[in-house]
Amino acid sequence: MSPTRVGILLFALSVIAGPLYTVPEYSMVRNLISELAAQNTPRNWLMAGAFVALGTGIAIDGFRRRAPHWLPFMAFGILMALAGLFGHRPLDPEVPYVAWVHTAHSVLATGAGISITAGFIWQAFRRAGPFRRLACALLALVCVALPLLMLWHPSVQGATQRVMYALVFSWLWISYPKETPG
């Protein structure tokens, strides 16, 4: 099994099991996945490790292929792994945290989102066949529209983020990194 697929499995398992190992207030509908790795949160290392595993797996697979069209995906992987090393703000406002660590996580996660979106745009232009081009264009749109939806409707941002990740990870599972003419 490829490192990308191993990372996806570990990430998905950590997300699905999240409510079982984190604070009781955590909601898969309302709360972001990153909040499972929040600073000073019980067993946050599980989700933080999943971020690192996912990102490292994606980067390793991209480096093995050494093809420029996978660079945005490799950047996505590296940024996701680094984001896992920095904790989100805790759910409980009474729990102390380090603000710059939260900011670093946010900056890295935003960079990862920009990278994956750029990767899908690049793939939309280079893929053979109209269906594959359309799929990549729609995924680029998903990577822009769903984060905006999360800002407009924070009460369902967790569910929205999970839908986005499910779509992105499905494409990565099926298509990354495969050599295509380019």
Side-chain angles (χ1 to χ4, degrees):
M1 183 178 302
S2 75
T4 296
R5 288 183 173 183
V6 170
I8 290 170
L9 284 175
L10 291 172
F11 194 91
L13 289 172
S14 296
V15 169
I16 291 166
L20 300 175
Y21 67 79
T22 194
V23 295
E25 303 84 36
Y26 187 84
S27 164
M28 291 179 73
V29 172
R30 185 182 60 252
N31 295 110
L32 298 170
I33 291 169
S34 296
E35 290 172 304
L36 292 170
Q39 298 174 48
N40 300 313
T41 299
R43 293 166 291 286
N44 60 353
W45 58 271
L46 291 167
M47 194 67 238
F51 269 98
V52 172
L54 172 70
T56 302
I58 292 168
I60 287 170
D61 278 340
F63 282 120
R64 285 181 177 171
R65 296 298 194 268
R66 294 191 178 116
H69 56 274
W70 296 124
L71 285 173
F73 295 95
M74 293 177 349
F76 168 73
I78 291 166
L79 292 166
M80 286 290 279
L82 290 172
L85 299 176
F86 295 92
H88 200 282
R89 178 187 313 243
L91 290 173
D92 184 347
E94 300 299 316
V95 174
Y97 81 103
V98 180
W100 74 265
V101 173
H102 171 72
T103 300
H105 173 82
S106 296
V107 168
L108 291 163
T110 299
I114 292 167
S115 296
I116 194 84
T117 304
F120 284 132
I121 291 168
W122 191 347
Q123 291 296 307
F125 284 105
R126 67 172 300 283
R127 284 274 170 169
F131 175 76
R132 289 184 175 160
R133 287 176 186 240
L134 178 62
C136 290
L138 289 174
L139 282 167
L141 180 63
V142 160
C143 289
V144 172
L146 292 187
L148 291 174
L149 182 63
M150 290 163 53
L151 290 173
W152 292 328
H153 299 286
S155 63
V156 293
Q157 68 183 354
T160 305
Q161 185 183 47
R162 284 163 174 76
V163 168
M164 178 180 68
Y165 277 169
L167 294 170
V168 168
F169 292 170
S170 294
W171 186 90
L172 288 169
W173 187 277
I174 295 166
S175 300
Y176 179 81
K178 300 230 175 25
E179 287 302 324
T180 56

